[in-house]
Amino acid sequence: METLTKRILPPQHRRFPPTDESKLGFGDIFSDHLFKMDYHDGQWRNPRIEPYAPLQLDPAAMSLHYAQLVFEGLKCFRRQDGQLGLFRPRDNFARLARSVRLLCMPDFDQELALTALRELLDIDRNWVPRSPGTALYIRPFIVATEPHLGVRPSNDYLFMIITGPVGAYYSAGFAPIDIYVEPQYSRVPPCGLGEAKAGANYASSLYAAMEAHKKGYSQLLWLDPCEHKYVEEVGSMNMFFVIGDEIVTSPLAGTVLPGVTRDSVCVMAEDWGLKVAQRLLSIDEIIEAGENGRLQEAFGAGTAAVISPVGRLHYKGRDIVVGDGGIGKITRRLYDELTGIQYGSRPDAHHWIMPVK
Ligand code: COI
């Protein structure tokens, strides 16, 4: 393993993190340092921490043309006892390793990436916000850098980790949202990159999301790409429904991202003795459950928004109200438990929290 080198800003050149944390949005502010590592001649080289700065990238870099780019998202929390804690970071690096394989990118040392991240967080620990509901968002990503315009995997890559303080992902915070069930467009094709966290998947979600926005919906629910029948993800989150006594989420069958929050929700609900089913769920079954009063709750689950309650669904001209349109009991319990574990007010039975140092 190559040694990690560090070039750290002297205190007088460091920027100040925002003091008014109530105004923190998502993804606009970045901490003082970043991690970088190059892949060249068949090997990852020169892992280093240095001051955050714009990149020098050849205009022909392959990621800019053919989207050979993967990323991750995870959070570091300032916990009740003052310690900094990462939430399930090994799961994110393991998923990044699966994503790189699907995009024909080179494998990397997950433990080295984790060590580098913990060093980076220790250096920028002042950037981890203090207010309830805030966190330091961490974005590891790998981009193809070889200057070449033929379509094939790049020979060169850059692995980076940037971080920045964030507040709630949705400006409304933990409140029910209305979602548009997309009848026509697909997020990903079958047998494609759906289970990879690839930038390309997010690019292909933009057009339909913009159309849904124009209709007044902040998020859309994707149906499967083959039959446009079975529910998959909501926006950039995994989707859950509470129908009768069952909590249902779509199975991981290639077109759904294996979310770390998704897995945490399944584990917590099972711990409580609730019935969790990872199965196909058609929009017709949801409509029927809505009509006969069995559709009790619906929520999205993801790193950025944590748990996001859904109050109403709109599908082909009809509205389906979920429960009483407010925040369901299980949804709230999951949110309280998960954030409690993350901020340290509830026991961490599954050892999901890893201290920074
Ligand atoms: C997540 O919440 O897990 C996400 O992937 C959201 C991110 C793309 C902003």
Side-chain angles (χ1 to χ4, degrees):
M1 194 189 284
E2 268 198 82
T3 17
L4 178 69
T5 60
K6 297 177 205 168
R7 187 160 59 81
I8 300 171
L9 287 169
Q12 69 273 24
H13 289 152
R14 293 200 185 189
R15 288 169 296 127
F16 291 102
T19 44
D20 186 357
E21 295 181 352
S22 66
K23 294 209 170 65
L24 277 179
F26 183 89
D28 305 309
I29 300 168
F30 303 100
S31 318
D32 275 330
H33 297 87
L34 83 169
F35 168 74
K36 279 184 181 170
M37 177 164 70
D38 309 306
Y39 185 87
H40 188 61
D41 284 342
Q43 216 181 315
W44 285 107
R45 299 159 191 274
N46 193 13
R48 58 201 184 275
I49 289 172
E50 49 184 55
Y52 187 98
L55 295 175
Q56 262 218 340
L57 200 58
D58 194 294
M62 294 179 81
S63 55
L64 301 180
H65 300 270
Y66 306 125
Q68 203 190 4
L69 175 164
V70 292
F71 71 96
E72 267 305 317
L74 66 159
K75 281 178 174 169
C76 174
F77 299 89
R78 194 175 289 278
R79 291 160 58 76
Q80 266 186 3
D81 61 2
Q83 302 263 55
L84 300 184
L86 284 156
F87 186 71
R88 304 187 64 175
R90 284 205 166 89
D91 295 274
N92 288 90
F93 285 119
R95 186 172 63 187
L96 188 63
R98 296 197 298 275
S99 296
V100 299
R101 275 168 226 144
L102 274 175
L103 277 101
C104 306
M105 299 164 97
D107 205 0
F108 63 93
D109 182 339
Q110 294 175 42
E111 283 307 309
L112 177 128
L114 182 58
T115 304
L117 171 61
R118 293 168 84 181
E119 290 289 332
L120 179 66
L121 294 173
D122 192 35
I123 292 165
D124 279 342
R125 54 171 53 240
N126 201 24
W127 284 85
V128 185
R130 292 169 161 76
S131 314
T134 63
L136 192 80
Y137 186 74
I138 299 161
R139 171 54 59 89
F141 59 118
I142 306 179
V143 300
T145 52
E146 186 189 356
H148 178 73
L149 295 185
V151 179
R152 58 153 172 78
S154 171
N155 286 312
D156 301 337
Y157 298 88
L158 181 57
F159 186 141
M160 286 172 275
I161 306 178
I162 55 175
T163 73
V166 296
Y169 189 66
Y170 296 118
S171 47
F174 184 60
I177 52 167
D178 288 353
I179 56 177
Y180 181 77
V181 184
E182 174 52 56
Q184 181 189 1
Y185 301 112
S186 306
R187 189 185 79 94
V188 293
C191 306
L193 299 176
E195 59 191 336
K197 210 159 172 71
N201 292 342
Y202 294 78
S204 74
S205 75
L206 296 176
Y207 187 82
M210 185 185 67
E211 294 290 302
H213 267 120
K214 285 189 202 154
K215 296 184 182 90
Y217 295 89
S218 60
Q219 281 299 321
L220 57 80
L221 177 65
W222 298 101
L223 299 179
D224 77 279
C226 295
E227 297 180 66
H228 294 285
K229 186 171 164 190
Y230 299 105
V231 294
E232 295 203 330
E233 295 189 16
V234 58
S236 54
M237 290 177 284
N238 293 113
M239 187 70 206
F240 287 81
F241 289 89
V242 182
I243 299 182
D245 68 348
E246 202 181 47
I247 304 177
V248 190
T249 193
S250 41
L252 300 177
T255 48
V256 168
L257 188 80
V260 176
T261 311
R262 173 190 182 278
D263 181 70
S264 310
V265 164
C266 294
V267 170
M268 290 187 296
E270 275 164 2
D271 283 352
W272 299 334
L274 302 175
K275 200 160 117 197
V276 178
Q278 301 190 27
R279 66 165 174 90
L280 293 176
L281 173 63
S282 72
I283 187 68
D284 294 336
E285 185 181 339
I286 292 169
I287 293 170
E288 201 188 308
E291 281 166 357
N292 63 28
R294 295 179 72 243
L295 178 61
Q296 289 153 10
E297 303 186 31
F299 59 90
T303 298
V306 193
I307 302 284
S308 186
V310 171
R312 203 167 57 106
L313 302 154
H314 182 88
Y315 179 62
K316 291 189 176 169
R318 63 202 285 183
D319 279 325
I320 309 150
V321 180
V322 180
D324 62 4
I327 301 174
K329 266 204 225 130
I330 295 173
T331 308
R332 181 172 291 283
R333 188 175 174 196
L334 285 163
Y335 176 83
D336 288 346
E337 181 73 9
L338 190 54
T339 52
I341 294 169
Q342 292 172 333
Y343 291 100
S345 63
R346 301 224 174 158
D348 176 20
H350 297 281
H351 307 288
W352 283 338
I353 299 295
M354 176 183 287
V356 162
K357 275 272 160 145

